[in-house]
Amino acid sequence: MAGHRVRWQGVVASALGGAVAGYLAHDLAAGARAYCDAGWEAGGKFELFFEMLLLVPGCAVLALLVWLLARRVNPVVGVAAVVLVLWVVVVWYFATQGTLAGYRGDSGLCGPDNVPPWWPAWLPS
């Protein structure tokens, strides 16, 4: 009975973690666009909102699938795989949607690549 409970806890935790990671990716991209004032007009806000409606459940399903596949090796490997995959998705989404290179930002706080100064330089953007 205890193994069954742990299995469901892993399923629920991975799906919730995926949903949170999807929202975090959206929030980072929206924060960068607002800070740099690049792609933050009505159309850009609508685009990000629409993508969030797909990103949050998509990340939840992705995390769930990774957990179900990787937990067969070891539960620790399952958790590490879920965290790694979600981290890659968050950084990729920020780099592709949050930093609009070449878009004329009006805030004057970011360079021509529209990467905000608070984003670590060692992470891709």
Side-chain angles (χ1 to χ4, degrees):
M1 187 68 166
H4 185 68
R5 183 179 314 133
V6 170
R7 192 172 322 145
W8 279 106
Q9 288 173 346
V11 166
V12 171
S14 63
L16 285 176
V20 168
Y23 183 77
L24 175 65
H26 166 266
D27 199 41
L28 275 173
R33 283 188 180 193
Y35 188 84
C36 297
D37 195 24
W40 198 238
E41 67 280 344
K45 289 179 186 179
F46 177 75
E47 171 199 1
L48 282 179
F49 175 75
F50 184 72
E51 287 177 359
M52 181 187 65
L53 294 177
L54 301 173
L55 187 65
V56 171
C59 283
V61 169
L62 177 65
L64 180 62
L65 290 175
V66 169
W67 166 255
L68 290 174
L69 292 173
R71 75 174 170 88
R72 296 180 190 274
V73 176
N74 184 339
V76 174
V77 171
V79 170
V82 168
V83 169
L84 178 66
V85 166
L86 292 176
W87 181 80
V88 167
V89 168
V90 168
V91 170
W92 171 81
Y93 188 78
F94 175 80
T96 59
Q97 298 301 316
T99 59
L100 303 175
Y103 195 98
R104 285 190 56 127
D106 295 335
S107 72
L109 301 172
C110 303
D113 56 357
N114 289 318
V115 177
W118 46 262
W119 185 251
W122 56 272
L123 285 175
S125 58

